[in-house]
Amino acid sequence: QVQLVESGGGSVQAGGSLRLSCTASGDINMRDCLNWFRQSPGKEREGIAAIGSDGTKTYANSVKGRFTISKDDAKNTLYLQMNSLTPWDTAMYYCALGTWSNAYDGRCIRPITTWGQGTQVTVSS
């Protein structure tokens, strides 16, 4: 059984930066598709950044150029570097594990199998 634990959320002023981490434990294959999502109150969960099994990194238009997804296979950890944050980025951020899959437009193509519990990011103006 795989568990995902996010950390690094918090409160920051507009223009600031945060780095989220997601550490995986259990029987995990870091070559499976890895994904970051976010959800604001009243909105649907949005896939924002993903690393496909072929190593390709893709982003939603809403974060392209500001957020960077990366991973450290040796540490079983996924990261999301977030720069130039705006109040529109305020949300609960979730990491997620898919299966062997490519990624497109910030999402793994195949369904997600495991979710983290989420970490809150709040950006004030």
Side-chain angles (χ1 to χ4, degrees), residues 59-106:
Y59 301 90
N61 286 335
S62 58
V63 305
K64 198 173 293 183
R66 300 186 300 122
F67 291 10
T68 303
I69 189 171
S70 62
K71 63 175 181 170
D72 186 330
D73 290 351
K75 295 182 178 179
N76 283 354
T77 301
L78 179 69
Y79 301 100
L80 185 68
Q81 177 67 43
M82 306 186 295
N83 298 329
S84 302
L85 286 162
T86 76
W88 294 105
D89 296 314
T90 295
M92 185 73 78
Y93 284 72
Y94 300 89
C95 69
L97 173 69
T99 58
W100 189 268
S101 165
N102 290 333
Y104 176 77
D105 217 17

Side-chain angles (χ1 to χ4, degrees), residues 29 31-33 96:
N29 180 356
R31 291 293 304 277
D32 285 336
C33 192

